[in-house]
Amino acid sequence: LIDLLERHIDKLPSENSFANYLESIRGFLKTKDPILQKAAFSNSELFIDNFSYVLNNHITSKQAVGSLIAAFDKVGYADSMDAAVIIIEFEDLLKQMPVEDAENLYKERWITGKYPG
């Protein structure tokens, strides 16, 4: 099992949280020292807690689009289908935009509160 974990760890990028999780399990299995085992166990539990938090708070694109359509509808936008068309057009435009430009627009609008243009 230790050798298998080592092979899996070697295939993962360095500084990967899942690799760190596997390292903790491997460390637990390799040592008889109860203090090191306790540390490895604590690290693996922390990873699972963090991973569980991320999964529970993950918003799917379908949920995000549904929320946007509902927001348009709530503020009195004429038709939820019109809102859906706007969102789809926005998504298409965003796909055409370089990532750096999209990040800059986000920073200008949401972080500084300034509108581009």
Side-chain angles (χ1 to χ4, degrees), residues 35-67:
I35 294 172
L36 294 177
Q37 285 180 333
K38 185 175 182 179
F41 186 77
S42 293
N43 284 340
S44 65
E45 278 193 322
L46 182 62
F47 171 82
I48 294 299
D49 289 345
N50 288 336
F51 188 65
S52 174
Y53 175 81
V54 167
L55 287 177
N56 288 330
N57 293 299
H58 177 75
I59 298 174
T60 66
S61 60
K62 185 176 180 180
Q63 290 169 322
V65 169
S67 296

PDB file of all heavy atoms in Angstrom, residues 35-67:
ATOM      1  N   ILE A  35       3.288   9.889  17.879  1.00  0.00           N
ATOM      2  CA  ILE A  35       3.197  11.340  17.688  1.00  0.00           C
ATOM      3  C   ILE A  35       3.137  11.663  16.195  1.00  0.00           C
ATOM      4  O   ILE A  35       2.316  12.478  15.751  1.00  0.00           O
ATOM      5  CB  ILE A  35       4.377  12.066  18.377  1.00  0.00           C
ATOM      6  CG1 ILE A  35       4.253  11.890  19.892  1.00  0.00           C
ATOM      7  CG2 ILE A  35       4.397  13.544  18.001  1.00  0.00           C
ATOM      8  CD1 ILE A  35       5.441  12.395  20.676  1.00  0.00           C
ATOM      9  N   LEU A  36       4.006  11.014  15.402  1.00  0.00           N
ATOM     10  CA  LEU A  36       3.982  11.231  13.949  1.00  0.00           C
ATOM     11  C   LEU A  36       2.688  10.715  13.335  1.00  0.00           C
ATOM     12  O   LEU A  36       2.144  11.322  12.408  1.00  0.00           O
ATOM     13  CB  LEU A  36       5.195  10.573  13.295  1.00  0.00           C
ATOM     14  CG  LEU A  36       6.558  11.174  13.651  1.00  0.00           C
ATOM     15  CD1 LEU A  36       7.680  10.368  12.997  1.00  0.00           C
ATOM     16  CD2 LEU A  36       6.620  12.630  13.252  1.00  0.00           C
ATOM     17  N   GLN A  37       2.189   9.597  13.857  1.00  0.00           N
ATOM     18  CA  GLN A  37       0.920   9.062  13.353  1.00  0.00           C
ATOM     19  C   GLN A  37      -0.229  10.035  13.647  1.00  0.00           C
ATOM     20  O   GLN A  37      -1.088  10.261  12.797  1.00  0.00           O
ATOM     21  CB  GLN A  37       0.632   7.699  13.974  1.00  0.00           C
ATOM     22  CG  GLN A  37       1.461   6.589  13.403  1.00  0.00           C
ATOM     23  CD  GLN A  37       1.143   5.244  14.037  1.00  0.00           C
ATOM     24  OE1 GLN A  37       0.705   5.167  15.182  1.00  0.00           O
ATOM     25  NE2 GLN A  37       1.375   4.177  13.276  1.00  0.00           N
ATOM     26  N   LYS A  38      -0.206  10.613  14.841  1.00  0.00           N
ATOM     27  CA  LYS A  38      -1.257  11.560  15.210  1.00  0.00           C
ATOM     28  C   LYS A  38      -1.206  12.791  14.301  1.00  0.00           C
ATOM     29  O   LYS A  38      -2.243  13.285  13.845  1.00  0.00           O
ATOM     30  CB  LYS A  38      -1.107  11.973  16.672  1.00  0.00           C
ATOM     31  CG  LYS A  38      -2.222  12.852  17.175  1.00  0.00           C
ATOM     32  CD  LYS A  38      -2.084  13.133  18.661  1.00  0.00           C
ATOM     33  CE  LYS A  38      -3.241  13.983  19.133  1.00  0.00           C
ATOM     34  NZ  LYS A  38      -3.168  14.251  20.564  1.00  0.00           N
ATOM     35  N   ALA A  39      -0.002  13.289  14.006  1.00  0.00           N
ATOM     36  CA  ALA A  39       0.142  14.445  13.113  1.00  0.00           C
ATOM     37  C   ALA A  39      -0.351  14.109  11.713  1.00  0.00           C
ATOM     38  O   ALA A  39      -1.058  14.910  11.082  1.00  0.00           O
ATOM     39  CB  ALA A  39       1.594  14.894  13.072  1.00  0.00           C
ATOM     40  N   ALA A  40       0.015  12.928  11.212  1.00  0.00           N
ATOM     41  CA  ALA A  40      -0.420  12.514   9.876  1.00  0.00           C
ATOM     42  C   ALA A  40      -1.936  12.373   9.829  1.00  0.00           C
ATOM     43  O   ALA A  40      -2.588  12.793   8.868  1.00  0.00           O
ATOM     44  CB  ALA A  40       0.252  11.198   9.486  1.00  0.00           C
ATOM     45  N   PHE A  41      -2.504  11.810  10.884  1.00  0.00           N
ATOM     46  CA  PHE A  41      -3.948  11.637  10.951  1.00  0.00           C
ATOM     47  C   PHE A  41      -4.646  12.997  10.978  1.00  0.00           C
ATOM     48  O   PHE A  41      -5.636  13.217  10.266  1.00  0.00           O
ATOM     49  CB  PHE A  41      -4.325  10.809  12.190  1.00  0.00           C
ATOM     50  CG  PHE A  41      -5.773  10.471  12.261  1.00  0.00           C
ATOM     51  CD1 PHE A  41      -6.304   9.461  11.474  1.00  0.00           C
ATOM     52  CD2 PHE A  41      -6.623  11.166  13.109  1.00  0.00           C
ATOM     53  CE1 PHE A  41      -7.651   9.131  11.536  1.00  0.00           C
ATOM     54  CE2 PHE A  41      -7.965  10.853  13.179  1.00  0.00           C
ATOM     55  CZ  PHE A  41      -8.475   9.844  12.393  1.00  0.00           C
ATOM     56  N   SER A  42      -4.100  13.933  11.767  1.00  0.00           N
ATOM     57  CA  SER A  42      -4.676  15.283  11.835  1.00  0.00           C
ATOM     58  C   SER A  42      -4.623  15.978  10.486  1.00  0.00           C
ATOM     59  O   SER A  42      -5.585  16.634  10.075  1.00  0.00           O
ATOM     60  CB  SER A  42      -3.934  16.130  12.873  1.00  0.00           C
ATOM     61  OG  SER A  42      -4.156  15.625  14.161  1.00  0.00           O
ATOM     62  N   ASN A  43      -3.494  15.844   9.771  1.00  0.00           N
ATOM     63  CA  ASN A  43      -3.367  16.452   8.441  1.00  0.00           C
ATOM     64  C   ASN A  43      -4.389  15.879   7.470  1.00  0.00           C
ATOM     65  O   ASN A  43      -4.999  16.613   6.686  1.00  0.00           O
ATOM     66  CB  ASN A  43      -1.963  16.253   7.883  1.00  0.00           C
ATOM     67  CG  ASN A  43      -0.953  17.163   8.522  1.00  0.00           C
ATOM     68  OD1 ASN A  43      -1.305  18.177   9.097  1.00  0.00           O
ATOM     69  ND2 ASN A  43       0.307  16.797   8.434  1.00  0.00           N
ATOM     70  N   SER A  44      -4.582  14.564   7.503  1.00  0.00           N
ATOM     71  CA  SER A  44      -5.537  13.958   6.577  1.00  0.00           C
ATOM     72  C   SER A  44      -6.966  14.375   6.914  1.00  0.00           C
ATOM     73  O   SER A  44      -7.771  14.616   6.018  1.00  0.00           O
ATOM     74  CB  SER A  44      -5.387  12.436   6.543  1.00  0.00           C
ATOM     75  OG  SER A  44      -5.713  11.874   7.779  1.00  0.00           O
ATOM     76  N   GLU A  45      -7.277  14.493   8.206  1.00  0.00           N
ATOM     77  CA  GLU A  45      -8.607  14.953   8.595  1.00  0.00           C
ATOM     78  C   GLU A  45      -8.843  16.398   8.153  1.00  0.00           C
ATOM     79  O   GLU A  45      -9.924  16.745   7.701  1.00  0.00           O
ATOM     80  CB  GLU A  45      -8.803  14.843  10.110  1.00  0.00           C
ATOM     81  CG  GLU A  45      -9.193  13.467  10.564  1.00  0.00           C
ATOM     82  CD  GLU A  45      -9.686  13.478  11.995  1.00  0.00           C
ATOM     83  OE1 GLU A  45      -9.137  14.227  12.829  1.00  0.00           O
ATOM     84  OE2 GLU A  45     -10.636  12.730  12.273  1.00  0.00           O
ATOM     85  N   LEU A  46      -7.821  17.240   8.277  1.00  0.00           N
ATOM     86  CA  LEU A  46      -7.926  18.630   7.838  1.00  0.00           C
ATOM     87  C   LEU A  46      -8.208  18.711   6.337  1.00  0.00           C
ATOM     88  O   LEU A  46      -9.048  19.496   5.893  1.00  0.00           O
ATOM     89  CB  LEU A  46      -6.646  19.391   8.187  1.00  0.00           C
ATOM     90  CG  LEU A  46      -6.617  20.865   7.845  1.00  0.00           C
ATOM     91  CD1 LEU A  46      -7.701  21.629   8.597  1.00  0.00           C
ATOM     92  CD2 LEU A  46      -5.252  21.446   8.173  1.00  0.00           C
ATOM     93  N   PHE A  47      -7.517  17.877   5.555  1.00  0.00           N
ATOM     94  CA  PHE A  47      -7.760  17.854   4.115  1.00  0.00           C
ATOM     95  C   PHE A  47      -9.219  17.494   3.828  1.00  0.00           C
ATOM     96  O   PHE A  47      -9.878  18.163   3.024  1.00  0.00           O
ATOM     97  CB  PHE A  47      -6.835  16.854   3.421  1.00  0.00           C
ATOM     98  CG  PHE A  47      -7.194  16.639   1.980  1.00  0.00           C
ATOM     99  CD1 PHE A  47      -6.766  17.523   1.009  1.00  0.00           C
ATOM    100  CD2 PHE A  47      -7.994  15.567   1.598  1.00  0.00           C
ATOM    101  CE1 PHE A  47      -7.119  17.338  -0.326  1.00  0.00           C
ATOM    102  CE2 PHE A  47      -8.353  15.372   0.278  1.00  0.00           C
ATOM    103  CZ  PHE A  47      -7.917  16.264  -0.683  1.00  0.00           C
ATOM    104  N   ILE A  48      -9.712  16.449   4.475  1.00  0.00           N
ATOM    105  CA  ILE A  48     -11.094  16.009   4.238  1.00  0.00           C
ATOM    106  C   ILE A  48     -12.074  17.095   4.658  1.00  0.00           C
ATOM    107  O   ILE A  48     -13.055  17.359   3.957  1.00  0.00           O
ATOM    108  CB  ILE A  48     -11.379  14.674   4.970  1.00  0.00           C
ATOM    109  CG1 ILE A  48     -10.546  13.547   4.366  1.00  0.00           C
ATOM    110  CG2 ILE A  48     -12.859  14.338   4.952  1.00  0.00           C
ATOM    111  CD1 ILE A  48     -10.827  13.269   2.897  1.00  0.00           C
ATOM    112  N   ASP A  49     -11.829  17.757   5.782  1.00  0.00           N
ATOM    113  CA  ASP A  49     -12.711  18.841   6.212  1.00  0.00           C
ATOM    114  C   ASP A  49     -12.731  19.975   5.185  1.00  0.00           C
ATOM    115  O   ASP A  49     -13.797  20.488   4.840  1.00  0.00           O
ATOM    116  CB  ASP A  49     -12.266  19.392   7.574  1.00  0.00           C
ATOM    117  CG  ASP A  49     -12.543  18.434   8.714  1.00  0.00           C
ATOM    118  OD1 ASP A  49     -13.326  17.476   8.531  1.00  0.00           O
ATOM    119  OD2 ASP A  49     -11.957  18.640   9.801  1.00  0.00           O
ATOM    120  N   ASN A  50     -11.550  20.370   4.698  1.00  0.00           N
ATOM    121  CA  ASN A  50     -11.472  21.436   3.694  1.00  0.00           C
ATOM    122  C   ASN A  50     -12.139  21.021   2.392  1.00  0.00           C
ATOM    123  O   ASN A  50     -12.860  21.802   1.772  1.00  0.00           O
ATOM    124  CB  ASN A  50     -10.015  21.830   3.427  1.00  0.00           C
ATOM    125  CG  ASN A  50      -9.412  22.596   4.571  1.00  0.00           C
ATOM    126  OD1 ASN A  50     -10.112  23.216   5.362  1.00  0.00           O
ATOM    127  ND2 ASN A  50      -8.099  22.548   4.668  1.00  0.00           N
ATOM    128  N   PHE A  51     -11.907  19.794   1.966  1.00  0.00           N
ATOM    129  CA  PHE A  51     -12.492  19.287   0.728  1.00  0.00           C
ATOM    130  C   PHE A  51     -14.020  19.236   0.843  1.00  0.00           C
ATOM    131  O   PHE A  51     -14.738  19.628  -0.077  1.00  0.00           O
ATOM    132  CB  PHE A  51     -11.914  17.913   0.409  1.00  0.00           C
ATOM    133  CG  PHE A  51     -12.296  17.382  -0.933  1.00  0.00           C
ATOM    134  CD1 PHE A  51     -11.872  18.019  -2.088  1.00  0.00           C
ATOM    135  CD2 PHE A  51     -13.074  16.248  -1.051  1.00  0.00           C
ATOM    136  CE1 PHE A  51     -12.217  17.538  -3.338  1.00  0.00           C
ATOM    137  CE2 PHE A  51     -13.424  15.756  -2.293  1.00  0.00           C
ATOM    138  CZ  PHE A  51     -13.000  16.394  -3.441  1.00  0.00           C
ATOM    139  N   SER A  52     -14.503  18.797   1.983  1.00  0.00           N
ATOM    140  CA  SER A  52     -15.942  18.738   2.220  1.00  0.00           C
ATOM    141  C   SER A  52     -16.552  20.136   2.172  1.00  0.00           C
ATOM    142  O   SER A  52     -17.619  20.344   1.581  1.00  0.00           O
ATOM    143  CB  SER A  52     -16.211  18.099   3.580  1.00  0.00           C
ATOM    144  OG  SER A  52     -17.576  18.147   3.886  1.00  0.00           O
ATOM    145  N   TYR A  53     -15.859  21.107   2.759  1.00  0.00           N
ATOM    146  CA  TYR A  53     -16.339  22.487   2.735  1.00  0.00           C
ATOM    147  C   TYR A  53     -16.442  23.007   1.300  1.00  0.00           C
ATOM    148  O   TYR A  53     -17.444  23.611   0.916  1.00  0.00           O
ATOM    149  CB  TYR A  53     -15.400  23.382   3.556  1.00  0.00           C
ATOM    150  CG  TYR A  53     -15.764  24.843   3.485  1.00  0.00           C
ATOM    151  CD1 TYR A  53     -16.788  25.348   4.281  1.00  0.00           C
ATOM    152  CD2 TYR A  53     -15.106  25.707   2.623  1.00  0.00           C
ATOM    153  CE1 TYR A  53     -17.138  26.688   4.209  1.00  0.00           C
ATOM    154  CE2 TYR A  53     -15.465  27.046   2.546  1.00  0.00           C
ATOM    155  CZ  TYR A  53     -16.470  27.526   3.339  1.00  0.00           C
ATOM    156  OH  TYR A  53     -16.831  28.846   3.259  1.00  0.00           O
ATOM    157  N   VAL A  54     -15.407  22.748   0.506  1.00  0.00           N
ATOM    158  CA  VAL A  54     -15.394  23.196  -0.891  1.00  0.00           C
ATOM    159  C   VAL A  54     -16.554  22.554  -1.659  1.00  0.00           C
ATOM    160  O   VAL A  54     -17.266  23.226  -2.409  1.00  0.00           O
ATOM    161  CB  VAL A  54     -14.046  22.877  -1.561  1.00  0.00           C
ATOM    162  CG1 VAL A  54     -14.116  23.042  -3.072  1.00  0.00           C
ATOM    163  CG2 VAL A  54     -12.951  23.759  -0.982  1.00  0.00           C
ATOM    164  N   LEU A  55     -16.754  21.251  -1.475  1.00  0.00           N
ATOM    165  CA  LEU A  55     -17.834  20.571  -2.188  1.00  0.00           C
ATOM    166  C   LEU A  55     -19.207  21.078  -1.772  1.00  0.00           C
ATOM    167  O   LEU A  55     -20.091  21.242  -2.612  1.00  0.00           O
ATOM    168  CB  LEU A  55     -17.755  19.057  -1.958  1.00  0.00           C
ATOM    169  CG  LEU A  55     -16.628  18.335  -2.672  1.00  0.00           C
ATOM    170  CD1 LEU A  55     -16.629  16.851  -2.287  1.00  0.00           C
ATOM    171  CD2 LEU A  55     -16.723  18.481  -4.174  1.00  0.00           C
ATOM    172  N   ASN A  56     -19.370  21.340  -0.491  1.00  0.00           N
ATOM    173  CA  ASN A  56     -20.668  21.814  -0.011  1.00  0.00           C
ATOM    174  C   ASN A  56     -20.962  23.236  -0.453  1.00  0.00           C
ATOM    175  O   ASN A  56     -22.117  23.640  -0.523  1.00  0.00           O
ATOM    176  CB  ASN A  56     -20.744  21.721   1.511  1.00  0.00           C
ATOM    177  CG  ASN A  56     -20.868  20.300   1.988  1.00  0.00           C
ATOM    178  OD1 ASN A  56     -21.429  19.444   1.313  1.00  0.00           O
ATOM    179  ND2 ASN A  56     -20.324  20.014   3.151  1.00  0.00           N
ATOM    180  N   ASN A  57     -19.933  24.023  -0.749  1.00  0.00           N
ATOM    181  CA  ASN A  57     -20.122  25.414  -1.132  1.00  0.00           C
ATOM    182  C   ASN A  57     -19.884  25.661  -2.614  1.00  0.00           C
ATOM    183  O   ASN A  57     -19.822  26.795  -3.053  1.00  0.00           O
ATOM    184  CB  ASN A  57     -19.208  26.314  -0.296  1.00  0.00           C
ATOM    185  CG  ASN A  57     -19.636  26.306   1.144  1.00  0.00           C
ATOM    186  OD1 ASN A  57     -20.738  26.700   1.467  1.00  0.00           O
ATOM    187  ND2 ASN A  57     -18.781  25.806   2.012  1.00  0.00           N
ATOM    188  N   HIS A  58     -19.753  24.605  -3.373  1.00  0.00           N
ATOM    189  CA  HIS A  58     -19.521  24.710  -4.809  1.00  0.00           C
ATOM    190  C   HIS A  58     -20.824  25.061  -5.514  1.00  0.00           C
ATOM    191  O   HIS A  58     -21.851  24.449  -5.298  1.00  0.00           O
ATOM    192  CB  HIS A  58     -18.978  23.379  -5.340  1.00  0.00           C
ATOM    193  CG  HIS A  58     -18.775  23.361  -6.814  1.00  0.00           C
ATOM    194  ND1 HIS A  58     -17.728  24.005  -7.413  1.00  0.00           N
ATOM    195  CD2 HIS A  58     -19.495  22.804  -7.807  1.00  0.00           C
ATOM    196  CE1 HIS A  58     -17.802  23.823  -8.722  1.00  0.00           C
ATOM    197  NE2 HIS A  58     -18.869  23.101  -8.978  1.00  0.00           N
ATOM    198  N   ILE A  59     -20.775  26.076  -6.335  1.00  0.00           N
ATOM    199  CA  ILE A  59     -21.950  26.488  -7.110  1.00  0.00           C
ATOM    200  C   ILE A  59     -21.732  26.042  -8.553  1.00  0.00           C
ATOM    201  O   ILE A  59     -20.723  26.388  -9.159  1.00  0.00           O
ATOM    202  CB  ILE A  59     -22.148  28.008  -7.057  1.00  0.00           C
ATOM    203  CG1 ILE A  59     -22.392  28.456  -5.626  1.00  0.00           C
ATOM    204  CG2 ILE A  59     -23.281  28.441  -7.974  1.00  0.00           C
ATOM    205  CD1 ILE A  59     -22.466  29.954  -5.462  1.00  0.00           C
ATOM    206  N   THR A  60     -22.669  25.287  -9.070  1.00  0.00           N
ATOM    207  CA  THR A  60     -22.548  24.834 -10.445  1.00  0.00           C
ATOM    208  C   THR A  60     -22.905  25.979 -11.388  1.00  0.00           C
ATOM    209  O   THR A  60     -23.579  26.940 -11.000  1.00  0.00           O
ATOM    210  CB  THR A  60     -23.476  23.647 -10.730  1.00  0.00           C
ATOM    211  OG1 THR A  60     -24.837  24.088 -10.623  1.00  0.00           O
ATOM    212  CG2 THR A  60     -23.222  22.492  -9.782  1.00  0.00           C
ATOM    213  N   SER A  61     -22.454  25.880 -12.622  1.00  0.00           N
ATOM    214  CA  SER A  61     -22.789  26.916 -13.598  1.00  0.00           C
ATOM    215  C   SER A  61     -24.296  26.966 -13.818  1.00  0.00           C
ATOM    216  O   SER A  61     -24.863  28.042 -14.025  1.00  0.00           O
ATOM    217  CB  SER A  61     -22.051  26.685 -14.909  1.00  0.00           C
ATOM    218  OG  SER A  61     -22.387  25.435 -15.461  1.00  0.00           O
ATOM    219  N   LYS A  62     -24.962  25.825 -13.739  1.00  0.00           N
ATOM    220  CA  LYS A  62     -26.421  25.804 -13.904  1.00  0.00           C
ATOM    221  C   LYS A  62     -27.092  26.588 -12.776  1.00  0.00           C
ATOM    222  O   LYS A  62     -28.023  27.362 -13.017  1.00  0.00           O
ATOM    223  CB  LYS A  62     -26.912  24.352 -13.912  1.00  0.00           C
ATOM    224  CG  LYS A  62     -28.380  24.201 -14.205  1.00  0.00           C
ATOM    225  CD  LYS A  62     -28.763  22.741 -14.294  1.00  0.00           C
ATOM    226  CE  LYS A  62     -30.234  22.572 -14.585  1.00  0.00           C
ATOM    227  NZ  LYS A  62     -30.628  21.172 -14.677  1.00  0.00           N
ATOM    228  N   GLN A  63     -26.593  26.424 -11.539  1.00  0.00           N
ATOM    229  CA  GLN A  63     -27.151  27.179 -10.423  1.00  0.00           C
ATOM    230  C   GLN A  63     -26.872  28.675 -10.584  1.00  0.00           C
ATOM    231  O   GLN A  63     -27.741  29.499 -10.297  1.00  0.00           O
ATOM    232  CB  GLN A  63     -26.542  26.689  -9.099  1.00  0.00           C
ATOM    233  CG  GLN A  63     -26.985  25.306  -8.694  1.00  0.00           C
ATOM    234  CD  GLN A  63     -26.168  24.780  -7.534  1.00  0.00           C
ATOM    235  OE1 GLN A  63     -24.969  25.000  -7.444  1.00  0.00           O
ATOM    236  NE2 GLN A  63     -26.822  24.055  -6.633  1.00  0.00           N
ATOM    237  N   ALA A  64     -25.671  29.013 -11.051  1.00  0.00           N
ATOM    238  CA  ALA A  64     -25.310  30.419 -11.228  1.00  0.00           C
ATOM    239  C   ALA A  64     -26.191  31.071 -12.283  1.00  0.00           C
ATOM    240  O   ALA A  64     -26.701  32.176 -12.081  1.00  0.00           O
ATOM    241  CB  ALA A  64     -23.830  30.542 -11.594  1.00  0.00           C
ATOM    242  N   VAL A  65     -26.380  30.392 -13.415  1.00  0.00           N
ATOM    243  CA  VAL A  65     -27.226  30.940 -14.476  1.00  0.00           C
ATOM    244  C   VAL A  65     -28.670  31.058 -13.986  1.00  0.00           C
ATOM    245  O   VAL A  65     -29.330  32.074 -14.221  1.00  0.00           O
ATOM    246  CB  VAL A  65     -27.139  30.077 -15.760  1.00  0.00           C
ATOM    247  CG1 VAL A  65     -28.216  30.476 -16.760  1.00  0.00           C
ATOM    248  CG2 VAL A  65     -25.754  30.210 -16.382  1.00  0.00           C
ATOM    249  N   GLY A  66     -29.129  30.058 -13.280  1.00  0.00           N
ATOM    250  CA  GLY A  66     -30.488  30.118 -12.728  1.00  0.00           C
ATOM    251  C   GLY A  66     -30.658  31.288 -11.773  1.00  0.00           C
ATOM    252  O   GLY A  66     -31.684  31.981 -11.790  1.00  0.00           O
ATOM    253  N   SER A  67     -29.644  31.534 -10.960  1.00  0.00           N
ATOM    254  CA  SER A  67     -29.687  32.667 -10.035  1.00  0.00           C
ATOM    255  C   SER A  67     -29.694  33.997 -10.777  1.00  0.00           C
ATOM    256  O   SER A  67     -30.409  34.928 -10.392  1.00  0.00           O
ATOM    257  CB  SER A  67     -28.486  32.615  -9.084  1.00  0.00           C
ATOM    258  OG  SER A  67     -28.557  31.471  -8.277  1.00  0.00           O
TER     259      SER A  67
END
